Amino acid sequence: ETGVTQSPTHLIKTRGQQVTLRCSSQSGHNTVSWYQQALGQGPQFIFQYYREEENGRGNFPPRFSGLQFPNYSSELNVNALELDDSALYLCASSQRQGPNEKLFFGSGTQLSVL
Amino acid sequence: DAKTTQPNSMESNEEEPVHLPCNHSTISGTDYIHWYRQLPSQGPEYVIHGLTSNVNNRMASLAIAEDRKSSTLILHRATLRDAAVYYCILRAPPNFGNEKLTFGTGTRLTIIP
């Protein structure tokens, strides 16, 4: 089975720009979550999509938005980039199974905002 | 979300067992205990999870205290590949909009050759 893939692996943007990050879920998974990981910190939950609908959101402003497509791939969009948005962005896919659900993470996109 | 407490760092010798502790004194009766690890330059990787009973899989064992206020991840024979940050996470029962993992800062495990 194919794993979770994210693109691009690295990205450099300037403050005020917009960025789109992409994620291809593992085969058979219907749920995708996005996390932001600052240097030296654990990942922080941004939001989750289940069957193309947003299903939970963390403490992130509306300029962070997302999409999930019928093939369960996903995008994370960030508008009006700020310097503090520099981080590793992780995508995780899963098959909803309640508390037994296991998340499968991609290797992330390293975003640098200058 | 109930909080977990882990040591910031630990060291262990290669081929020795490793016991990674986690305290979760405010755990609720329905919270599952999950462990993930993050190898350098990779996303987190699922290791193991449990509710009340001790659990074993091919990667590790999870020992859960009888009062569930603490747990220990056991790597039976550490290899250099086990050097990673290990996260102990409490997962509540599913509730629409509540299916997130709350990561702390984890324990950075260093394996000494």
Side-chain angles (χ1 to χ4, degrees):
Chain A
E1 61 187 9
T2 57
V4 178
T5 57
Q6 293 187 241
S7 62
T9 55
H10 295 82
L11 199 53
I12 299 174
K13 291 285 190 178
T14 56
R15 193 170 49 182
Q17 285 189 311
Q18 178 266 344
V19 68
T20 297
L21 310 181
R22 294 180 173 83
C23 173
S24 178
S25 297
Q26 188 161 313
S27 177
H29 287 178
N30 56 17
T31 303
V32 65
S33 306
W34 285 90
Y35 289 78
Q36 180 196 66
Q37 186 172 25
L39 194 62
Q41 302 295 315
Q44 299 298 306
F45 176 73
I46 303 175
F47 45 57
Q48 182 184 84
Y49 280 81
Y50 171 64
R51 293 184 175 177
E52 303 176 55
E53 298 280 335
E54 187 178 291
N55 175 46
R57 188 178 184 92
N59 188 25
F60 282 82
R63 59 189 185 85
F64 285 78
S65 63
L67 283 172
Q68 185 184 28
F69 299 103
N71 65 355
Y72 301 127
S73 64
S74 176
E75 287 182 355
L76 165 65
N77 298 290
V78 187
N79 293 322
L81 284 166
E82 300 178 359
L83 297 179
D84 286 348
D85 296 333
S86 295
L88 180 68
Y89 288 84
L90 295 160
C91 166
S93 76
S94 58
Q95 181 65 26
R96 180 156 290 186
Q97 291 178 328
N100 294 306
E101 182 176 343
K102 303 171 190 175
L103 270 63
F104 294 83
F105 285 82
S107 295
T109 294
Q110 185 66 54
L111 173 65
S112 297
V113 182
L114 306 178
Chain B
D1 293 331
K3 185 178 169 59
T4 63
T5 304
Q6 300 177 253
N8 288 333
S9 62
M10 290 182 63
E11 288 185 348
S12 181
N13 294 319
E14 193 177 10
E15 300 186 6
E16 295 290 320
V18 181
H19 290 233
L20 295 162
C22 181
N23 288 319
H24 29 78
S25 58
T26 60
I27 191 171
S28 76
T30 53
D31 285 343
Y32 280 68
I33 302 159
H34 285 245
W35 284 81
Y36 282 73
R37 71 179 184 181
Q38 188 170 18
L39 280 66
S41 302
Q42 295 190 27
E45 173 188 33
Y46 168 83
V47 177
I48 200 167
H49 78 282
L51 181 62
T52 55
S53 304
N54 295 343
V55 184
N56 300 296
N57 67 20
R58 63 174 181 81
M59 289 180 70
S61 296
L62 177 60
I64 301 172
E66 196 168 334
D67 63 4
R68 300 206 333 122
K69 293 184 185 298
S70 65
S71 60
T72 302
L73 179 70
I74 303 165
L75 307 179
H76 294 287
R77 192 167 166 270
T79 69
L80 295 177
R81 195 195 172 277
D82 292 320
V85 178
Y86 286 78
Y87 297 99
C88 170
I89 299 165
L90 300 183
R91 189 141 204 213
N95 179 25
F96 190 78
N98 189 32
E99 281 75 24
K100 64 180 179 181
L101 294 181
T102 301
F103 290 83
T105 52
T107 296
R108 181 173 298 278
L109 176 65
T110 301
I111 305 298
I112 302 167

